[in-house]
Amino acid sequence: MNHLLPQAAELLELSDPERIKAIRVPKWINYPRAMDLFDKLEDLFTYPSVARMPSLLIWGDSNAGKSMLVTYFCRLKNASEKIEPGLPVLMVEAPATPSDREFFSICLERLCAPHKVNDRLENLRSQLSGLLRSLETRMLIIDEVHNLLAGSGARQRAFLNTLRRLSNGLQIGLVAVGTEEARNAFRVDPQMANRFEPVKLPRWEDGENFRKLLFSFEVSTPLRNPSHLASNDMALRLMTMSEGLLGEVARIISRAAVEAVRTGREQIDAASLKSLNWIPPSARRECAFEPLGDEAFTD
């Protein structure tokens, strides 16, 4: 199977259900913009402890690949750094609203630390700070930080002050991850806006790098026949369906590959992409705001 990487070719020996399960496992694909962001994350991770630590705000459209990028970085660091016991990078999701108590509780739960959710706020803060020091944590990644917008301006500012106080006290780098709304939220506090360097993860455009990305997906997807995803026709179809969002590209290829195994076609082609009846992200958003008519409930 010359069209596959060796590790993908080995998966062809699995049963169809096992191969489908392997196809559905998210794959990390290296690409230039991700490597640039990895360099910035590495610079922050290795930054010497100072009173006013620099921080990053990684932002972009929903499903652009932000969460997968920081998750992969977190896993690499926590697996490669030899700190026993230790946790070099802590990654959590921002609370649904800008709540200090909920944020501390989320962090403590992630660390499997017993705590009382209704305990005094300062006790929760102290417990979290003590644990992060003992674990020698050097970076805190907060995903979905655009949840800040669910609160009032005063609550947003209070939560941002909590992040600043945590960073100053522990002298660790902060990485906030979210949509463009997250960037707007951080502009509420001029000090936070100055501290967090904004880095955008843009949508893909058709071109050489996009074709290389599709080639990387193909050689990693265990199908018996080549799909030629990087060809002009297939690349344009995938660009149109995904609207340049990496997460969409991955889902489309995964779903089409599963169908290719189930039907025995063992390749992704134009017909199989069409059979997915894929609704592009922009059309999904429009549908979400349209009222449902009576026909929506008919068989």
Side-chain angles (χ1 to χ4, degrees):
M1 297 295 172
N2 295 330
H3 65 288
L4 296 176
L5 293 172
Q7 57 267 39
E10 291 176 2
L11 297 176
L12 297 177
E13 303 300 321
L14 300 175
S15 66
D16 285 355
E18 290 174 322
R19 188 153 49 111
I20 286 173
K21 184 177 180 180
I23 288 171
R24 285 174 167 163
V25 173
K27 303 174 182 65
W28 172 254
I29 304 293
N30 285 334
Y31 56 97
R33 186 57 173 163
M35 293 302 97
D36 291 343
L37 275 171
F38 260 65
D39 289 342
K40 287 184 176 294
L41 289 167
E42 181 65 27
D43 285 345
L44 180 57
F45 182 80
T46 58
Y47 203 89
S49 296
V50 295
R52 191 177 186 275
M53 290 291 292
S55 302
L56 287 176
L57 169 61
I58 299 175
W59 66 281
D61 291 318
S62 178
N63 219 6
K66 307 178 298 298
S67 295
M68 177 173 283
L69 187 148
V70 292
T71 298
Y72 186 66
F73 179 85
C74 179
R75 288 175 180 170
L76 283 180
K77 281 300 173 188
N78 288 341
S80 63
E81 295 289 321
K82 305 301 181 183
I83 302 176
E84 295 291 346
L87 187 71
V89 180
L90 172 62
M91 179 174 169
V92 297
E93 186 172 308
T97 58
S99 163
D100 290 3
R101 184 178 302 280
E102 188 176 353
F103 173 69
F104 292 142
S105 182
I106 288 172
C107 291
L108 291 169
E109 286 178 4
R110 177 68 179 83
L111 296 172
C112 301
H115 64 284
K116 297 178 181 179
V117 177
N118 294 325
D119 200 355
R120 292 179 59 242
L121 198 59
E122 195 55 40
N123 290 344
L124 294 174
R125 188 198 317 274
S126 178
Q127 182 182 3
L128 176 60
S129 297
L131 279 171
L132 294 180
R133 285 194 183 94
S134 66
L135 293 170
E136 299 184 37
T137 300
R138 306 201 321 243
M139 178 182 286
L140 173 60
I141 300 175
I142 307 168
D143 200 7
E144 305 291 340
V145 78
H146 45 265
N147 290 343
L148 280 174
L149 294 178
S152 65
R155 293 187 68 185
Q156 290 178 35
R157 287 188 292 272
F159 187 74
L160 291 175
N161 283 333
T162 294
L163 295 184
R164 179 168 56 230
R165 181 178 174 184
L166 192 65
S167 176
N168 289 344
L170 296 171
Q171 296 185 346
I172 63 175
L174 295 182
V175 179
V177 184
T179 61
E180 184 172 7
E181 286 76 14
R183 191 175 67 151
N184 295 335
F186 274 71
R187 288 174 175 169
V188 170
D189 187 328
Q191 292 187 49
M192 296 299 281
N194 290 333
R195 176 175 295 195
F196 279 79
E197 176 190 353
V199 183
K200 183 178 181 180
L201 191 61
R203 295 187 184 221
W204 286 82
E205 296 179 356
D206 191 24
E208 182 181 358
N209 285 335
F210 185 62
R211 306 300 173 94
K212 289 179 179 178
L213 177 76
L214 296 180
F215 177 79
S216 296
F217 270 108
E218 178 166 353
V219 298
S220 303
T221 304
L223 295 176
R224 301 186 189 283
N225 302 318
S227 300
H228 307 293
L229 297 181
S231 65
N232 286 337
D233 179 63
M234 293 295 285
L236 289 174
R237 287 176 184 272
L238 287 165
M239 175 59 68
T240 299
M241 294 170 71
S242 68
E243 297 182 344
L245 295 170
L246 179 58
E248 295 287 318
V249 174
R251 288 175 57 199
I252 293 167
I253 293 174
S254 174
R255 192 171 298 181
V258 167
E259 288 305 307
V261 173
R262 286 175 172 166
T263 61
R265 298 178 69 170
E266 293 291 341
Q267 69 174 168
I268 302 171
D269 56 17
S272 60
L273 290 181
K274 185 176 180 180
S275 70
L276 295 179
N277 295 317
W278 194 263
I279 300 175
S282 59
R284 279 181 238 148
R285 287 192 293 272
E286 291 173 4
C287 291
F289 291 100
E290 290 180 359
L292 295 176
D294 293 339
E295 68 278 2
F297 299 94
T298 60
D299 292 331

